Amino acid sequence: MLSLSEPIILAIESSCDDTGVALMRGVRHVLAQGLSSQIDRHSAFGGVVPEFAGRMHLQALLPLVSRVLGSAGLTDPAHQLGAVAVTAGPGLIGSLFVGVMGAKALCQAWGLPLIGVNHLEGHLFAPLVEHHELDFPYLGLIVSGGHTELILCHAPGRYERLAQTRDDAAGEAFDKLSKVLGMGYPGGPKVQAAAEGGDPKAYALPRPAFDGSKDFSFSGLKTAALDVINRARMKGQPPDAAGLCASFQAAVIDCLKARVLWAVEYTGVRSLALSGGVAANEPLRRALMSERGFTTYAPRAAFCTDNAVMIGAAGAVAYRAGRFSDLTLQPTPNWELTAGC
Ligand code: KG4
Ligand code: ZN
């Protein structure tokens, strides 16, 4: 998939609380990248505050573009770049707006084509950047703060959703548990760290049953964990936080694994691309990688959470296919991946 004749694409990601910029040649070659995280600003509130997020993207974006161009030694973007790719949705409207308007302005200034990328397609492509043996068709499990989706990726641009969450996203459930335990935001890494010292059988937490639907559901699990905390506090005792985190994490992993096993069986596809922030969870990666019958490809942690490299990878594929956007591109907060990109 790598060809030096491919153009360099400047990619921008700003759908939530991370401003990312990357320079990619094709799907695999990362020339430079940078990320400006807003976590410190939002953590006091236990989650992302959309108002702050938009403003901080505005402050961060253009200096980051300059820095990334500089670190790749590009001084003449109008002639050295082939296109600008930007996340156009789904995401927070104010955050998306900054990236999309910024990308449109750069395209106007440099006379470059624009590529609007679906954020979820970016996540699905993240494992392709480093795992060169991964190829279509593959199953994509996106587990992030906003999404939990199992997608059959037939070919670039052809996606079939097999399952999605009926309520909370997996990352959202991690974040909520962490918040209630007073461990801070984002919750996933804190829960993972706390779980290291805990017994995954400390609490019997529910696993949503496989009824007629293959969808995910995490609100029952979240409520059960919060009940444990409330009951302990009512008795004047702190809950066994390590045990609760370990039990909770084990339940999330079981739920995800059960749907993946079903999907492998149902589709006959034996490659799984794991992506999204929760894909950085080490026990989840180990659990899926140790399964026989299919191979799990997970990106490094920095490419699991939001980043512009994955947007550049999706942009490179769109470029090859001649899938460009025009300059009337608008941010689309609810852009469904399966509605076409
Ligand atoms: O993909 P991402 O950066 O942003 C969204 O598109 O949502 O995912 C962020 C989510 C947060 O909910 C965060 O708690 C979770 O990913 N996360 C983790 C881990 N690292 C990040 N969840 C579990 N274990 C982790 N190590
Ligand atoms: Zn994401």
Side-chain angles (χ1 to χ4, degrees):
M1 270 187 161
L2 171 65
S3 156
L4 283 179
S5 62
E6 289 193 78
I8 300 173
I9 292 182
L10 174 78
I12 296 173
E13 157 61 35
S14 74
S15 64
C16 190
D17 60 339
D18 290 308
T19 322
V21 173
L23 286 167
M24 301 284 291
R25 195 191 282 283
V27 173
R28 295 177 181 165
H29 201 64
V30 184
L31 299 179
Q33 60 145 332
L35 193 77
S36 171
S37 167
Q38 305 177 358
I39 281 177
D40 293 347
R41 184 73 176 96
H42 298 290
S43 58
F45 299 91
V48 177
V49 183
E51 268 284 300
F52 293 151
R55 287 181 206 193
M56 292 184 79
H57 284 305
L58 203 50
Q59 287 165 354
L61 182 60
L62 290 182
L64 192 56
V65 169
S66 301
R67 185 152 65 74
V68 169
L69 286 171
S71 65
L74 298 192
T75 51
D76 184 10
H79 295 103
Q80 291 168 310
L81 298 181
V84 177
V86 63
T87 305
L92 300 172
I93 181 70
S95 294
L96 291 168
F97 194 83
V98 175
V100 170
M101 295 307 147
K104 282 161 62 160
L106 294 175
C107 286
Q108 288 271 26
W110 293 334
L112 294 172
L114 176 69
I115 301 172
V117 172
N118 185 297
H119 181 78
L120 298 179
E121 186 177 41
H123 276 305
L124 289 174
F125 277 28
L128 288 169
V129 176
E130 292 172 308
H131 294 289
H132 303 171
E133 64 282 28
L134 174 62
D135 204 354
F136 293 90
Y138 62 85
L139 294 166
L141 177 62
I142 304 173
V143 269
S144 73
H147 297 270
T148 306
E149 302 200 8
L150 189 52
I151 293 170
L152 175 54
C153 306
H154 292 281
R158 274 189 57 220
Y159 311 107
E160 182 182 343
R161 188 166 56 209
L162 303 175
Q164 63 182 323
T165 183
R166 262 184 254 158
D167 36 60
D168 296 343
E172 200 179 346
F174 272 105
D175 291 338
K176 187 71 203 258
L177 176 64
S178 175
K179 186 176 181 180
V180 177
L181 286 171
M183 299 193 307
Y185 174 85
K190 319 260 183 205
V191 171
Q192 182 188 321
E196 271 167 34
D199 174 7
K201 297 208 169 74
Y203 297 96
L205 298 177
R207 273 78 172 145
F210 252 115
D211 46 22
S213 152
K214 300 295 177 280
D215 283 343
F216 302 96
S217 168
F218 295 103
S219 75
L221 172 62
K222 182 186 74 182
T223 307
L226 301 187
D227 271 358
V228 168
I229 298 170
N230 290 336
R231 268 186 271 119
R233 286 181 181 159
M234 268 157 49
K235 287 186 196 153
Q237 296 162 347
D240 164 14
L244 184 56
C245 288
S247 304
F248 178 89
Q249 185 174 260
V252 172
I253 292 172
D254 280 353
C255 296
L256 296 173
K257 204 168 76 177
R259 268 70 183 168
V260 169
L261 289 173
W262 162 78
V264 169
E265 180 77 25
Y266 176 70
T267 62
V269 172
R270 307 206 165 273
S271 298
L272 175 73
L274 182 61
S275 62
V278 181
N281 185 274
E282 279 299 332
L284 170 64
R285 296 162 78 97
R286 281 199 299 272
L288 291 171
M289 284 175 186
S290 65
E291 279 297 320
R292 303 233 172 122
F294 65 94
T295 309
T296 299
Y297 301 91
R300 67 171 86 167
F303 296 166
C304 289
T305 46
D306 289 347
N307 66 87
V309 167
M310 66 187 197
I311 303 305
V317 172
Y319 187 99
R320 259 183 236 155
R323 250 194 297 138
F324 296 102
S325 308
D326 57 37
L327 289 178
T328 58
L329 179 72
Q330 292 297 321
T332 309
N334 301 318
W335 185 4
E336 291 264 349
L337 179 65
T338 42
C341 301

